[in-house]
Amino acid sequence: MKPRKVTKAVFPVAGLGTRFLPATKSIPKEIMTLVDRPLIQYAIDEARAAGIKEFIFVTSRGKSALEDYFDHAPELESELRRKNKTDLLEVLKDTNMDSGAIAYVRQNRPLGLGHAVWCARRLIGDEPFAVLLPDDVIAAEKPCLQQMVEAYDRTGGCMVAAMEVPPPKASAYGVLDIAEDHGNIVRARGMVEKPKAEDAPSNLAVIGRYILSPKVLTNLNRLKQGAGGEIQLTDAIAEEAEPDGEGVYGFRFRGLRYDCGSKAGFLQATVAFGLSRPDLRDEFGTYLHEMMAQQKAAQ
Ligand code: G1P
């Protein structure tokens, strides 16, 4: 039997974004822009391409700019209409959400990613759902979540995006314990959150895209503390890798992932996305070449 269609997605956006202070003192980090689109827009576009119809944001205090971003802006729109700026009106369309398609729920205490997802449990109900961490931006010909939905159609259970990382870096991620490796899909016998380098079961790391069974919400109900004293999503998923669970699969996606939760990753993404834009490629590319040449000459 084919698994149920995935139409709901959770976006955990409650974090304080302290790594980007002072910028994030007054703007949510998800509103920081890669070229001219906020991080959150990339995640929403990816979810839409995968067939998601309902968008659930887990927010916290100080995140109201996110709600405004996905709302109509009547004054701005009528001004653009008056000036006949149809191209800009078109650009704004991506930020429009059908009434009722977007919901906000608050995580009132920062107890971890598992807790954030658990906060959305009533809105998710008893169906499979996706989770997208907007810090992880993935450049891909076919959007990552869409690739996963197609693979999930064959596996069901729980699926996490996965990527090989250099072994010393594995301890910054959730890491898969591989039972069977079938190339782009692996079946996991376990999953560990931020293991010590010597305890990592592999170097196949979990990246912030998930398709999860509602069983994960039941597992989260126990609100057990894990790594770093937080309620970890990884632990709740790992329970489904047990022999009586629904199965956990890692999916090696095709694409390039940028860690926009770190300054270096954000800068790399800015360069990559800038160079991929036809309207900026030439000018920006030439500038980068000149910069590199100057740097070399100065060494
Ligand atoms: C979270 C997850 C971790 C995953 C990572 C991917 O960690 O807990 O399992 O590997 O996202 O970006 P965070 O980076 O929020 O600490």
Side-chain angles (χ1 to χ4, degrees), residues 284-299:
F284 187 45
T286 309
Y287 172 74
L288 286 179
H289 273 300
E290 285 168 10
M291 278 287 274
M292 299 301 291
Q294 270 179 27
Q295 279 212 337
K296 268 210 183 120
Q299 270 166 15

Side-chain angles (χ1 to χ4, degrees), residues 113 133 136 172-174 193-194 206-208 210 232 234 257:
L113 179 59
L133 309 185
D136 282 332
Y173 296 90
E193 181 67 14
K194 307 205 170 79
V206 176
I207 299 306
Y210 307 78
Q232 295 293 353
T234 296
R257 171 258 187 178

Side-chain angles (χ1 to χ4, degrees), residues 13 16 28 41 87 115 140 157 169 175 186 193 200 202 217 234 262:
V13 290
L16 288 175
Q41 184 73 59
D87 51 336
H115 179 256
K169 295 231 164 125
V175 178
V186 306
E193 181 67 14
S202 74
L217 298 174
T234 296
S262 81

Side-chain angles (χ1 to χ4, degrees), residues 7 61 95 199:
T7 61
R61 285 175 72 83
T95 68
D199 299 335

